Amino acid sequence: CKVRNGLDAGVLVRQRAEGVFQECEIFCNKNSGVQVREGARPVFKKCQMYDGGKGGIFIYQQGEGLFEECMVYGNARSGVIAKDPGTHPVFKQCQFVNGDDAGVFVLQQAQGDFENCLISSNRLSGVEVKEGGQPVFTKCIINNGATAGVYVENTSGALFDRCQINNNATSGVLVGNDGKPEMRDCNI
């Protein structure tokens, strides 16, 4: 399937809805390529989300969802934004590259699991965690960011387990304003 040139999000899943999107191209939408909110739990497999007017994927208001082997690139903002308490998406073997902001941005007490993901060549940090965000990154590669590889602040914690964080323009990991990341067996 191809979802393009929408005046808002390319795909909006809300109100505890589910659904499976497989091998879809979601591109050139005015807002985010995909929005998930209000407890929705869709599944996206081998999809591409690119050239969005805002971010690639925006998950909020207790949105969840499973994203496997998705390519998220070239969006005007972050590849993925997860915000709000109770928000908890899962990303497996996804790529967040060449975005005009952070590759992954988790804030306002949101969570998220990122496993075997590539987060590379974004305009700001590869990963940015603020305002109580609590994501977990396992075996991810975070590299070639235009600023820090990982930036954690504002009472946020994040777990990085066996991640490769390298070749970023400034610090590999930057922690400020009561940030509390945990690094386990990472190569920085």
Side-chain angles (χ1 to χ4, degrees):
C1 66
K2 290 188 180 189
V3 180
R4 62 178 178 221
N5 301 320
L7 297 178
D8 197 357
V11 174
L12 170 60
V13 187
R14 62 186 186 152
Q15 299 173 332
R16 293 181 304 279
E18 299 181 5
V20 177
F21 301 83
Q22 191 159 336
E23 297 184 19
C24 295
E25 278 187 76
I26 303 165
F27 60 102
C28 295
N29 294 287
K30 189 170 185 169
N31 204 328
S32 301
V34 172
Q35 284 189 14
V36 179
R37 66 181 193 216
E38 300 161 354
R41 296 176 23 185
V43 175
F44 289 83
K45 293 182 178 184
K46 297 183 180 181
C47 293
Q48 296 182 52
M49 297 88 164
Y50 60 94
D51 293 340
K54 292 195 177 175
I57 303 169
F58 184 28
I59 305 170
Y60 60 111
Q61 296 175 350
Q62 301 176 345
E64 296 183 15
L66 172 62
F67 298 79
E68 292 183 322
E69 297 181 64
C70 292
M71 292 273 307
V72 183
Y73 58 95
N75 294 287
R77 294 202 181 145
S78 295
V80 63
I81 299 170
K83 71 176 239 182
D84 298 326
T87 296
H88 196 143
V90 175
F91 296 89
K92 295 181 179 183
Q93 296 179 312
C94 292
Q95 297 184 30
F96 305 97
V97 299
N98 298 317
D100 281 346
D101 206 313
V104 173
F105 188 23
V106 181
L107 70 156
Q108 296 177 1
Q109 300 175 349
Q111 298 176 322
D113 293 322
F114 298 81
E115 301 173 14
N116 295 302
C117 293
L118 172 65
I119 303 163
S120 183
S121 304
N122 293 286
R123 185 164 291 184
L124 296 178
S125 300
V127 173
E128 193 164 325
V129 185
K130 293 183 174 182
E131 301 168 16
Q134 300 289 328
V136 175
F137 295 84
T138 305
K139 295 182 182 177
C140 293
I141 297 171
I142 304 165
N143 64 14
N144 299 316
T147 63
V150 171
Y151 179 42
V152 181
E153 71 166 10
N154 298 117
T155 65
S156 297
L159 172 61
F160 295 86
D161 184 16
R162 295 167 284 163
C163 293
Q164 303 288 321
I165 304 168
N166 51 42
N167 297 323
N168 295 286
T170 63
S171 303
V173 177
L174 175 60
V175 183
N177 296 335
D178 296 319
K180 298 171 177 79
E182 181 178 346
M183 302 288 171
R184 289 187 192 162
D185 199 23
C186 293
N187 182 358
I188 303 171

